[in-house]
Amino acid sequence: MKKSGSITVFTSLFLAVFLLVFQVLLQSVQIAGGRVQAEAGVEEGLYSVFAGYDRELLERYHVFMVDGSYGTGVWKPERMYRTVKNCMEESCRPGGAVTGVRGENLWKCSSVSGAITAYTLMSDQHGRGYRAQVVDYMKETLGIQGIQLLMEKYRQQKDIFEEQEKEGNEIDVKQTMDSYEQAKKEAAQNQDSGSDSESQQRTEVSVPADFVNPLDVIRQLQKKGILALVVPPGKEVSQKGLGKEERFSKREKLTGMGTPFYGTEENTLLAKGIFQAYMMQHLTDYTSTEHTSDPLRYQLEYVIGGKTTDQENLKAVVYRLLAAREAANMMYLLRDPTRQAEIHEMALVICAAIGLPALEGIVSLALQAAWAFGESLMDVRQLLAGGKVPLVKTGATWMVSINQLAKLTELLKNGKSVEQKGMTYHEYLGILLMTGKTDTQTERTMDVVEAVMRSLPGKEGFRLDQGVIYLETEMEVSLAGNTFSLLRDYGYAMGNG
């Protein structure tokens, strides 16, 4: 009996130690398992938040964002937090993934408190989040090599265009024509007073009976609105526009909280070129035939010009194209001896027609500027009609002869484009985009995107500065009497950074 009693005590002690160890192990398993379950719930909640991306925005512009207003137009971050919290509690509570035999919470896991600790919005840092997504999308669809080749082509054309535009800004056709008119008036007065004896010694030049002074024609054309001259007949100019209060770039915007996360670092020339390729692909222009119901028709022109209406933006682009074309055409005229001879011959006829042969030098300069201006008008009209114009002209691509200059009004009324090699209007806009600032172009692109999205049914309150692209949450969780903090984050750029 004593021997049996000693065995019972030993067994009791052994069982007590075993049960103590088992209880410790069980609690450790509960804590570890509960923590995994809570973490899975938080991550599931974040995935649930970001699964609610705007479908229409993705379909049209290929970027992701969660509408932080949930369609109301009023910023509601608490709904995102509630989604994360509910998913975590669903993961831990009875009826969740793992429960006891009696429906008890085996992990003894519950939420204590929590908060959103950081979020990044689409609009932060001049739309950097938008731009980063665009860069990733375009890399996947076009490939780096294809984009580099495209950008190299545009970069070379941009250098030529910028030089032309610089020279074009120094050419003032109106001032040249004013100088011609002033000289003509002074010469006429001198001739009337008999002081211009030199003019009587000039060789007589025959003037055709039906001769029309081309300088007078150009003078009259300069008094007309530029769009009336270059817009092809039968094509109307859009009267659509955006109000200042409707524009993303002009209003006070919401900003993110905490450390922002965008993914790809894109402050490079390549990234700038990629975003410009995206604009060329996703925004419409004057020659586009799709998306005609959008609130802004000339979207690329808006990115370039930044005016409130389609008409003003088209006019801004036309003036820039006209300045560049004038310089290019002027350089061609100066270098072509055949054209210079034609200018000299026509200047003599004009001087004879106005009876002031002493003005041959001034008339030649005015005629040269007028001819370059007339050819430039035809160039821009050719582009708007869907034709092509080379950056640098040759004799084969020159469209207006000096004898046709007096008939320029009739030529401009022809709505058809001439068949020739060169660049389209859309490609010229690509060059203009390369001369702009990336931040400004990004915000103006977002102006267009926001306006288009707001025109869709049920999206009247759509705002890109309420678009969440990254979210970080911190949840306080109770596990078997112990409290733990779980910090988790997610964003659309995860894995691309």
Side-chain angles (χ1 to χ4, degrees):
M1 295 296 292
K2 290 182 180 179
K3 188 176 181 180
S4 176
S6 63
I7 293 174
T8 302
V9 171
F10 174 79
T11 303
S12 299
L13 291 173
F14 173 79
L15 288 174
V17 172
F18 175 79
L19 290 174
L20 180 62
V21 172
F22 180 78
Q23 185 178 10
V24 171
L25 290 175
L26 179 60
Q27 187 176 30
S28 298
V29 169
Q30 278 186 327
I31 293 173
R35 185 160 190 156
V36 170
Q37 199 71 13
E39 289 174 351
V42 172
E43 291 177 359
E44 181 184 347
L46 288 170
Y47 298 154
S48 295
V49 169
F50 285 96
Y53 58 84
D54 193 295
R55 267 63 176 173
E56 290 86 354
L57 180 67
L58 178 65
E59 182 178 350
R60 175 82 183 263
Y61 295 106
H62 300 99
V63 290
F64 289 92
M65 75 165 223
V66 174
D67 182 2
S69 75
Y70 289 86
T72 65
V74 180
W75 177 237
K76 294 184 176 181
E78 67 276 5
R79 287 191 59 172
M80 294 184 289
Y81 169 73
R82 197 180 308 128
T83 298
V84 175
K85 183 173 183 293
N86 289 343
C87 284
M88 191 201 72
E89 290 178 345
E90 179 68 24
S91 181
C92 293
R93 73 185 184 187
V98 180
T99 61
V101 177
R102 298 179 182 178
E104 296 178 356
N105 184 350
L106 182 61
W107 307 121
K108 299 197 181 301
C109 167
S110 62
S111 172
V112 177
S113 63
I116 292 176
T117 52
Y119 57 83
T120 304
L121 302 178
M122 190 79 92
S123 56
D124 289 344
Q125 294 188 20
H126 304 286
R128 184 177 165 188
Y130 189 104
R131 205 161 53 237
Q133 287 195 57
V134 163
V135 169
D136 290 334
Y137 164 74
M138 295 297 285
K139 282 180 180 177
E140 291 177 4
T141 55
L142 295 183
I144 295 295
Q145 187 175 8
I147 293 172
Q148 286 176 329
L149 291 174
L150 180 65
M151 288 306 104
E152 182 59 30
K153 171 189 171 184
Y154 271 117
R155 195 172 293 115
Q156 293 172 355
Q157 295 168 337
K158 166 183 167 283
D159 293 339
I160 298 173
F161 183 88
E162 283 186 323
E163 184 62 29
Q164 291 176 347
E165 191 173 23
K166 180 181 178 181
E167 293 176 357
N169 290 330
E170 297 173 357
I171 298 173
D172 193 334
V173 177
K174 184 178 182 302
Q175 184 177 358
T176 303
M177 297 299 289
D178 288 342
S179 298
Y180 157 71
E181 291 289 344
Q182 182 64 28
K184 186 170 69 171
K185 181 187 292 186
E186 292 175 356
Q189 290 174 350
N190 292 335
Q191 193 176 57
D192 291 340
S193 64
S195 61
D196 192 2
S197 59
E198 182 185 357
S199 66
Q200 305 301 325
Q201 301 173 7
R202 295 297 178 98
T203 304
E204 291 293 330
V205 177
S206 61
V207 180
D210 59 347
F211 178 75
V212 177
N213 187 344
L215 296 180
D216 293 339
V217 174
I218 296 298
R219 189 72 169 170
Q220 291 302 314
L221 288 177
Q222 287 180 321
K223 296 177 181 179
K224 295 184 179 181
I226 188 64
L227 294 185
L229 296 176
V230 297
V231 171
K235 290 194 175 183
E236 295 183 358
V237 176
S238 168
Q239 300 301 311
K240 294 183 176 181
L242 298 177
K244 184 176 181 180
E245 67 282 354
E246 298 172 350
R247 289 195 278 177
F248 163 87
S249 61
K250 297 299 181 182
R251 69 165 184 260
E252 186 175 346
K253 294 176 278 291
L254 295 176
T255 57
M257 180 178 71
T259 303
F261 180 84
Y262 304 104
T264 305
E265 180 59 41
E266 43 73 60
N267 291 324
T268 64
L269 277 176
L270 176 61
K272 179 179 179 179
I274 291 174
F275 188 75
Q276 287 163 354
Y278 171 85
M279 290 187 287
M280 296 281 288
Q281 189 180 95
H282 289 77
L283 303 184
T284 60
D285 61 49
Y286 174 82
T287 61
S288 302
T289 57
E290 69 276 10
H291 304 301
T292 55
S293 61
D294 284 353
L296 204 63
R297 284 285 306 279
Y298 311 152
Q299 297 169 3
L300 282 175
E301 288 89 341
Y302 170 73
V303 173
I304 295 167
K307 310 296 183 182
T308 56
T309 66
D310 277 336
Q311 184 172 341
E312 290 175 326
N313 288 313
L314 180 61
K315 188 184 296 184
V317 167
V318 164
Y319 275 126
R320 289 190 64 181
L321 291 177
L322 193 62
R325 296 311 309 152
E326 281 181 23
N329 294 332
M330 182 73 82
M331 293 304 296
Y332 168 75
L333 290 176
L334 289 171
R335 293 169 181 170
D336 191 305
T338 302
R339 304 292 181 184
Q340 286 297 308
E342 292 177 0
I343 289 172
H344 175 69
E345 183 179 346
M346 179 60 74
L348 290 176
V349 175
I350 293 174
C351 288
I354 62 177
L356 298 170
L359 293 183
E360 179 194 332
I362 294 177
V363 170
S364 294
L365 291 174
L367 189 58
Q368 188 167 262
W371 200 0
F373 176 72
E375 180 75 7
S376 301
L377 288 178
M378 286 295 294
D379 286 344
V380 177
R381 191 207 61 80
Q382 165 92 344
L383 292 172
L384 294 181
K388 296 181 178 181
V389 174
L391 267 176
V392 180
K393 285 291 185 78
T394 64
T397 55
W398 193 266
M399 291 187 286
V400 182
S401 70
I402 197 164
N403 292 321
Q404 290 177 314
L405 200 55
K407 302 176 182 178
L408 188 59
T409 303
E410 288 72 24
L411 293 177
L412 290 170
K413 290 180 181 178
N414 181 9
K416 297 181 180 179
S417 60
V418 179
E419 197 67 35
Q420 65 177 9
K421 294 182 179 179
M423 296 171 54
T424 64
Y425 176 72
H426 189 70
E427 290 172 324
Y428 270 98
L429 292 184
I431 296 177
L432 290 176
L433 287 173
M434 290 196 73
T435 66
K437 296 180 179 179
T438 302
D439 286 346
T440 300
Q441 291 180 347
T442 303
E443 290 204 340
R444 289 178 181 174
T445 297
M446 295 171 77
D447 284 341
V448 173
V449 171
E450 196 173 81
V452 171
M453 295 303 296
R454 285 182 173 184
S455 68
L456 301 178
K459 290 189 173 292
E460 294 78 9
F462 181 90
R463 291 174 57 127
L464 283 171
D465 59 327
Q466 293 178 345
V468 181
I469 59 174
Y470 168 79
L471 183 66
E472 179 187 80
T473 61
E474 184 174 20
M475 306 298 293
E476 295 288 334
V477 183
S478 175
L479 296 170
N482 298 291
T483 301
F484 297 91
S485 176
L486 299 176
L487 186 66
R488 290 292 181 272
D489 64 347
Y490 186 77
Y492 289 123
M494 291 290 195
N496 296 324

